[in-house]
Amino acid sequence: MIVREYEKDEITVHRVPLILMGGIVAISLALTASVTFGLFPRQSVPAEARAAAGVKVAQERTLRFFDEADGTVRVEDGATAEVLGRFAPGEGGFIRATVRSLVHQRRIRGEGAQVPFTLTRWDNTALTLADPVTGRSVEVSAFGPDNRAVYSNMLPPTAEKK
């Protein structure tokens, strides 16, 4: 059996990466403290920002979402039950993701699907999908024009769109 003896095990780390890591930690702490002390504004809450700017509801529709046996998601008007869209498996990924996140919050609270969701177009053209049961909402406009268009097409046509 061969046994090696080492006089001194020395692990070396270069100074430059240590200094850079320390700098990142220091900057992170400084930015966090500056927000805490009010030097930078806190993250905006969309509802509060709209209220402060005086943004009003331009259009609103209630929506219900249903999973069909074949995996299709059916979207209906919450008041009239008019079918607004069908998304087969592999389609409507954004619709599926946003609605699942809101439905998950309902399930956690033991709530059902009796109350429809609310889709709102604001007069600044932003779109919000809200759950009046849980108070949660998704700012649809934040996910890009293609995803925004999917929900925008579910609103009744306006004079400008006709």
Side-chain angles (χ1 to χ4, degrees):
M1 180 184 319
I2 300 174
V3 177
R4 291 186 175 169
E5 289 186 32
Y6 296 98
E7 288 182 25
K8 205 175 192 186
D9 281 340
E10 209 175 297
I11 298 173
T12 59
V13 179
H14 295 284
R15 281 188 185 175
V16 174
L18 284 176
I19 292 170
L20 291 175
M21 286 187 290
I24 290 171
V25 170
I27 289 171
S28 298
L29 291 173
L31 288 173
T32 302
S34 65
V35 170
T36 302
F37 295 130
L39 300 175
F40 288 111
R42 295 181 184 267
Q43 180 179 356
S44 175
V45 176
E48 292 174 7
R50 278 193 289 270
V55 176
K56 297 191 180 358
V57 173
Q59 206 173 16
E60 201 167 56
R61 179 177 244 173
T62 56
L63 302 175
R64 292 185 187 274
F65 300 88
F66 300 93
D67 284 322
E68 296 182 343
D70 65 353
T72 300
V73 172
R74 183 179 76 245
V75 184
E76 293 182 358
D77 183 293
T80 66
E82 170 191 357
V83 175
L84 302 174
R86 291 182 186 276
F87 300 93
E91 297 176 350
F94 183 63
I95 294 271
R96 292 172 191 272
T98 52
V99 173
R100 278 188 188 136
S101 70
L102 294 173
V103 168
H104 177 71
Q105 293 300 317
R106 281 189 180 188
R107 285 187 183 145
I108 289 172
R109 290 168 174 77
E111 300 290 342
Q114 297 83 1
V115 179
F117 297 96
T118 304
L119 179 63
T120 306
R121 174 181 288 138
W122 302 96
D123 62 7
N124 65 356
T125 71
L127 284 177
T128 303
L129 180 65
D131 183 0
V133 173
T134 63
R136 301 273 181 154
S137 64
V138 176
E139 296 298 320
V140 177
S141 298
F143 293 94
D146 293 340
N147 291 323
R148 182 186 185 290
V150 172
Y151 277 103
S152 184
N153 291 334
M154 292 182 199
L155 289 167
T158 60
E160 305 93 48
K161 289 176 80 176
K162 286 182 181 177

